[in-house]
Amino acid sequence: MMQSDIRNPLSRRDVLKAAVAGVAVAGGQLHPLSASLAQAGKPQQFKLPPLPYAYDALEPHIDARTMEIHHGKHHAGYTKKLNAAIEGTDLVGKSIEEILSDLDDVPEEIRTAARNNGGGYANHNLFWQVMSPDGGGAPSGALAEAINSVFGSFGDFKVAFSTAAAGLFGSGWAWLVTDRGSLRIETSPNQDSPLMAGNSPILGIDVWEHAYYLNYQNRRPDYIAAFFNVINWAQVSENYAAAA
Amino acid sequence: MAFELPSLPYAEDALEPHIDGRTMGIHHGKHHASYTSNLNGAIEGTDLEGKSIEEILGDLDAVPENIRTAVRNNGGGYANHNLFWQIMGPDGGGEPSGALAEAINSACGSFDGFKSQFSAAAATRFGSGWAWLVAEGGVVSVTSTPNQDTPLMEGKTPILGIDVWEHAYYLNYQNRRPDYIAAFFNVINWAKVGELFDAAG
């Protein structure tokens, strides 16, 4: 929060307008971003990001129909339900990272909805980014060194990550995260995110059945193996550098 | 003696159009079969061999810690699907009768009240799991569990259950879980659910 800039006194009219728009008013003063949003007449909503490639771009590894439903229905559903849950609360205007990393601060009556749908929103935002039609191969640079240092080799990392993804029972995700600068593999149930424990996910694989069932059915390990052909390691490296 | 995958009591395509033949084939022949073989693998050589699945799941604390999660997940999956195939049928649908109907009316106000409550429990179970109608001392109630957990783990007897893992409906319904739940009501074998209610006492 840019606390230094909230000195301009606001008229009562502005404050009322902001309150009507569902924007948080703290101590009678508005965050400048919130104020501009209030003037635009609508509170900030989370938006479904467009896929950074065509639905069929990841074929044959991930089929177009799965991508279309996954993005257009599942991710869109999480986005819509997240917005509905936080509407009229002072969570509006916060980043998804801020919300998820401090769920205790979310009002109890919407905490489960914010957790599930906020998690689903953030997890899929990352998921689309870390895949690409030009993906596959192995990481390079600082990320490659860190992976080798923690897991022994890229091959060892691949085995450990795949085992984690295959072994998560039910719906959830497997992650490569940075925890206070060091790399670690972890899993989370449902739409929980490493952000909830203060860690930064830099790579994630969705192992909800909806991520692979149309093409792979019960063969989750085949989907996991195929995922390695579409990992966008350049983006994962950027995520790693940004998290460090 | 090892647990055995029961055969489906009807053809894989018998529940169409409500549940498609391919889903049934994979659900029974792959998912249920895996839970069965993983359960047997987990308990092999332990004194759980020879116990009933109800005995095992009713007392998970007695299961050695190193295999408890495997037994919980795969034993739950084994028992849950055993029930699931039984309480559906090509001649299903309609409404319960007799003592079960009375218990449902008493718990939920009416059959429609039950239908809404059960459908809501099934639709809102986030992630993978089941919604249940359980019987305890002649009284029924609606509940849900995550993953392959079963009411047996809490000493309750499930008499009706709907699988809301995505594998139960994704090939035919994709993200439209509520449509699958609505369709499920067309295949519920209420005669069987009535028998299970009577047996639960």
Side-chain angles (χ1 to χ4, degrees), chain B residues 12 37-38 94 98 151 159-160 163 181 185:
Chain B
E12 288 174 358
S37 90
N38 290 341
I159 61 172
L160 172 69
D163 188 346
I181 297 166
F185 275 88

Side-chain angles (χ1 to χ4, degrees), chain A residues 127-148:
Chain A
F127 190 51
W128 312 134
Q129 281 182 34
V130 297
M131 297 190 290
S132 159
D134 305 316
S140 59
L143 176 60
E145 282 168 33
I147 284 177
N148 291 339

Side-chain angles (χ1 to χ4, degrees), chain B residues 8-199:
Chain B
L8 268 190
Y10 35 74
E12 288 174 358
D13 63 0
L15 306 182
E16 292 199 348
H18 310 295
I19 302 184
D20 63 288
R22 185 158 174 246
T23 293
M24 290 297 291
I26 298 170
H27 201 171
H28 176 261
K30 301 291 183 183
H31 292 281
H32 196 185
S34 289
Y35 293 129
T36 308
S37 90
N38 290 341
L39 170 63
N40 286 327
I43 66 171
E44 193 179 349
T46 74
D47 60 9
L48 298 175
E49 283 184 302
K51 286 196 180 179
S52 73
I53 192 62
E54 290 79 11
E55 282 177 291
I56 294 173
L57 296 174
D59 191 10
L60 277 177
D61 287 347
V63 173
E65 205 177 335
N66 60 318
I67 59 167
R68 195 175 299 152
T69 300
V71 170
R72 176 185 188 148
N73 291 343
N74 295 295
Y78 175 71
N80 293 341
H81 289 87
N82 285 357
L83 177 70
F84 190 51
W85 313 134
Q86 284 183 44
I87 52 84
M88 297 191 290
D91 305 317
E95 300 190 9
S97 59
L100 173 61
E102 283 168 32
I104 285 176
N105 290 340
S106 161
C108 307
S110 65
F111 180 68
D112 282 347
F114 158 74
K115 203 169 164 177
S116 318
Q117 214 178 313
F118 185 83
S119 299
T124 58
R125 163 52 57 189
F126 192 72
S128 299
W130 293 73
W132 304 101
L133 181 65
V134 301
E136 203 184 13
V139 175
V140 296
S141 59
V142 171
T143 184
S144 74
T145 56
N147 297 326
Q148 295 295 352
D149 285 1
T150 151
L152 293 168
M153 293 169 188
E154 293 174 355
K156 294 177 181 166
T157 305
I159 61 172
L160 172 69
I162 181 171
D163 188 346
V164 293
W165 282 59
E166 287 169 323
H167 67 231
Y169 61 87
Y170 210 80
L171 295 180
N172 200 22
Y173 296 97
Q174 296 87 48
N175 61 303
R176 303 184 311 279
R177 191 193 287 185
D179 293 354
Y180 157 68
I181 297 166
F184 173 73
F185 275 88
N186 296 319
V187 294
I188 296 177
N189 179 348
W190 284 111
K192 184 67 191 177
V193 181
E195 276 176 37
L196 295 171
F197 176 70
D198 294 342

Side-chain angles (χ1 to χ4, degrees), chain A residues 171-213:
Chain A
S171 298
W173 293 73
W175 304 100
L176 180 63
V177 306
T178 61
D179 177 1
R180 282 159 294 180
S182 67
L183 285 180
R184 195 152 51 77
I185 289 171
E186 63 180 41
T187 62
S188 64
N190 297 326
Q191 294 295 352
D192 284 1
S193 155
L195 293 166
M196 294 170 189
N199 297 324
S200 298
I202 63 168
L203 171 69
I205 180 170
D206 188 346
V207 292
W208 282 58
E209 287 170 327
H210 67 231
Y212 60 86
Y213 210 79

